[in-house]
Amino acid sequence: MTIYATYDGAVLRPDEPLDLAEGERVRLTVEDPEPAPAEPYSAFRIMESLDLDGPPDWSENINEYVTGERKLDG
């Protein structure tokens, strides 16, 4: 069961009545009802973080390097 509750400084107060007996023990997991939005996916940021080192003409000839038509020195 998932419920929403409000903490009043001492106890959690459910927003709706619960079908529980008085004194019944339960296990609670507390999490933010509105988690922070995830960082947007950025292929550029991932590639930048790789700190790749390539030939000076890599940008202009990337397709040839990927297909093997042009070889990296080394």
Side-chain angles (χ1 to χ4, degrees), residues 35-41:
E39 285 281 323
Y41 172 79

Side-chain angles (χ1 to χ4, degrees), residues 30-70:
V30 178
E31 52 184 49
D32 188 343
E34 298 177 21
E39 285 281 323
Y41 172 79
S42 170
F44 175 75
R45 294 280 183 241
I46 292 171
M47 289 183 284
E48 187 177 45
S49 73
L50 296 175
D51 194 28
L52 299 174
D53 186 26
D57 67 338
W58 210 354
S59 295
E60 295 84 16
N61 299 300
I62 188 66
N63 290 334
E64 288 83 5
Y65 284 111
V66 169
T67 61
E69 294 173 35
R70 190 179 290 244

